[in-house]
Amino acid sequence: MSRQFTRERLEHVLDPADERLRSRAVLGATIGNILEFYDFGTYSFFAIQIGQTFFPANDPFASLMLSLATFGAGFVTRPIGAIVLGSYSDRAGRRPAMTASFTMMSAAALLLATTPSYETIGLAAPSLVVFARLLQGFALGGEVGPTTAYLMEAAPEGARGLAVSFQPASQQLAATAGALVGEILSLTMTSDELNAYGWRIALLLGAVMLPLGIWLRSALPETLHLHQVPVLVARPRGQSSADRRIMCLGFVILASCTITTYVAGYMTTYAMNTLHVSAPLAFGATLISNAVGIAAALLGGLLADRAGRRRVMIWPQIMALLMIYPVFLWIVESRSAFAILGGLGALTLIGMIPYSAFYVSMAEGLPRNIRARAFATIYAFAIAIFGGTAQPIVTWLIHLTGSALVPAWYMLLASAAGLFAMLMMPETAPLNLAPDHKRTFVTPRPLPRHSSKDGH
């Protein structure tokens, strides 16, 4: 299906002389990404304690809802940060944009952790908290695009998929780290201690990494203007129309990924409130899902380097689509630990693989001069629209229908839309072409050098 939309075209890749930056670039970008997503997401684990500290109310539910509304404020500024920092990255370089994003995120986390309570400074307390969340959203909105572009540009052409897969894998790792910190603090502190200052410790753990993160990112080699050599790759026909096409398809796929991810993140609440299983089993499902997600993201990137982007997007997505309903039916009917842990683990393993391939495919499919801004903006809008609504919609539909299978139907709809968009994505992996024009390997083939006799 993709052949009618593609043709061979020249693109630049890193010269082999730049091999020295590979591992350092991936390490520095990934660690910074983990810390930023940790800082942003840890708030949700302590929403109750933060609500009691900054949004006191006679009704505990009202306090919690005000806290959650403040958490949601971080999604509002993500598109703005994506546009501003993404544009800055495409103009000034990936490194300064990533450093600026990390600095703002850490400063906001430090502000959250050190703001006095409502009882101490009154309305200034919730005002500072809302400002900190808005700043965190702005910073994270400008993190994903430049980091993804950097990982793709810094990687060897035959390992772009694996390098870019550290983007989704690092997000899963950050979520796992936040959950583990919360679990450790809850086990080692009394409820009063956790409410008083335990949640501040969790936030400070991210903020104190500011010097390390700034040092790592400021020392990274820049990839935007590196010396490059031409190679032959398959590129979309008609660059401007292809850009718009890839961005539209990318938005649909990211919306599908967002809904799937946030519904999976809802499993702890779903398991306790709807399935009525024990809390340890419910939290165990989330931890298993996150851990499997890390491995699946890396596996998806590795496979994308071996078999191309489209295959690794499409076939696992079809498998996941076929698995969703049977897995949820098994979980709902048995409600056993084996079904919940094993079923969700298997579904996450298959379902996460396509998105690593998509990340690198979209980064490769966009021109370098708009890559960070376009990726960041599409990602931020997909998260803002579908990430913040997925769990409330599922909760409302379960209440409305009384069916415990609502998450399955919602994931099926999102996954089907994602598959349709994946089928329409062109192949962007660098290609070697045999005489019959069939793929033989995904490593790019250098163009022949012309001698001076040819007039070049």
Side-chain angles (χ1 to χ4, degrees):
M1 181 179 292
S2 65
R3 289 184 180 178
Q4 59 183 316
F5 301 116
T6 62
R7 63 188 173 94
E8 293 183 345
R9 183 171 180 172
L10 291 178
E11 183 181 88
H12 292 297
V13 297
L14 295 178
D15 187 272
D18 297 304
E19 287 287 342
R20 56 185 173 79
L21 69 83
R22 311 296 190 190
S23 58
R24 195 174 77 184
V26 172
L27 178 65
T30 301
I31 290 177
N33 204 55
I34 292 171
L35 293 175
E36 286 213 39
F37 274 91
Y38 172 87
D39 287 341
F40 185 84
T42 300
Y43 182 106
S44 64
F45 292 107
F46 299 95
I48 295 175
Q49 290 80 12
I50 292 174
Q52 293 172 353
T53 303
F54 299 114
F55 306 98
N58 293 330
D59 183 0
F61 176 74
S63 176
L64 176 59
M65 289 304 294
L66 286 170
S67 180
L68 291 175
T70 304
F71 174 75
F75 289 92
V76 174
T77 49
R78 286 178 74 162
I80 302 174
I83 295 170
V84 174
L85 291 178
S87 299
Y88 179 56
S89 171
D90 289 330
R91 183 179 66 257
R94 316 305 186 202
R95 181 179 61 193
M98 290 191 298
T99 303
S101 171
F102 183 83
T103 302
M104 286 187 286
M105 177 64 77
S106 298
L110 184 62
L111 178 61
L112 274 174
T114 57
T115 297
S117 67
Y118 180 89
E119 293 181 356
T120 305
I121 60 174
L123 288 175
S127 299
L128 288 172
V129 171
V130 170
F131 171 77
R133 284 303 295 176
L134 292 173
L135 183 59
Q136 282 190 319
F138 182 91
L140 197 62
E143 165 72 10
V144 175
T147 303
T148 304
Y150 187 86
L151 289 170
M152 195 279 284
E153 293 163 359
E157 54 271 12
R160 288 175 178 173
L162 180 60
V164 173
S165 70
F166 279 92
Q167 169 63 258
S170 64
Q171 296 179 28
Q172 293 286 331
L173 186 57
T176 304
L180 285 175
V181 168
E183 185 72 13
I184 292 171
L185 290 174
S186 65
L187 291 174
T188 56
M189 290 183 169
T190 65
S191 296
D192 290 340
E193 291 172 338
L194 192 64
N195 292 338
Y197 60 87
W199 61 271
R200 294 184 187 271
I201 294 175
L203 293 175
L204 282 172
L205 286 176
V208 297
M209 300 300 289
L210 175 61
L212 173 62
I214 291 179
W215 174 76
L216 283 172
R217 291 203 159 176
S218 62
L220 291 177
E222 181 56 64
T223 62
L224 184 60
H225 304 296
L226 281 173
H227 174 66
Q228 300 168 321
V229 294
V231 297
L232 189 63
V233 301
R235 300 294 294 164
R237 184 185 301 275
Q239 189 63 56
S240 60
S241 61
D243 294 344
R244 292 191 295 270
R245 175 188 178 84
I246 288 177
M247 287 188 283
C248 289
L249 294 174
F251 179 80
V252 175
I253 296 172
L254 281 171
S256 171
C257 175
T258 297
I259 290 173
T260 302
T261 300
Y262 276 77
V263 171
Y266 178 71
M267 285 301 100
T268 297
T269 303
Y270 171 78
M272 289 189 291
N273 290 348
T274 304
L275 302 182
H276 304 293
V277 303
S278 65
L281 177 57
F283 280 107
T286 301
L287 288 174
I288 290 293
S289 179
N290 287 340
V292 171
I294 297 169
L298 297 175
L299 177 61
L302 187 64
L303 291 175
D305 288 327
R306 301 293 184 268
R309 317 312 186 206
R310 292 187 77 248
R311 293 178 182 176
V312 180
M313 281 191 286
I314 293 169
W315 290 109
Q317 186 75 358
I318 292 174
M319 292 176 62
L321 197 62
L322 296 175
M323 288 174 60
I324 291 172
Y325 186 78
V327 166
F328 271 90
L329 185 63
W330 178 31
I331 290 172
V332 169
E333 290 189 348
S334 71
R335 308 195 180 193
S336 67
F338 181 66
I340 293 173
L341 299 179
L344 289 178
L347 190 58
T348 301
L349 177 63
I350 302 300
M352 278 293 295
I353 288 175
Y355 296 109
S356 292
F358 161 72
Y359 269 55
V360 68
S361 179
M362 186 170 174
E364 288 175 328
L366 294 169
R368 183 183 292 260
N369 64 321
I370 67 167
R371 181 175 292 147
R373 180 179 75 253
F375 194 106
T377 302
I378 294 168
Y379 182 92
F381 273 103
I383 289 289
I385 295 171
F386 297 99
T389 60
Q391 296 183 8
I393 286 176
V394 169
T395 303
W396 176 71
L397 289 175
I398 291 175
H399 176 75
L400 183 68
T401 64
S403 173
L405 291 172
V406 164
W409 293 114
Y410 199 49
M411 288 180 69
L412 275 171
L413 180 63
S415 298
L419 176 61
F420 178 77
M422 289 172 183
L423 288 169
M424 300 179 68
M425 285 285 286
E427 178 61 77
T428 61
L431 307 178
N432 270 338
L433 299 177
D436 60 357
H437 300 287
K438 294 181 179 178
R439 178 192 309 278
T440 58
F441 195 66
V442 296
T443 301
R445 172 168 57 87
L447 290 176
R449 297 183 179 272
H450 298 281
S451 65
S452 58
K453 295 180 181 181
D454 297 326
H456 297 289

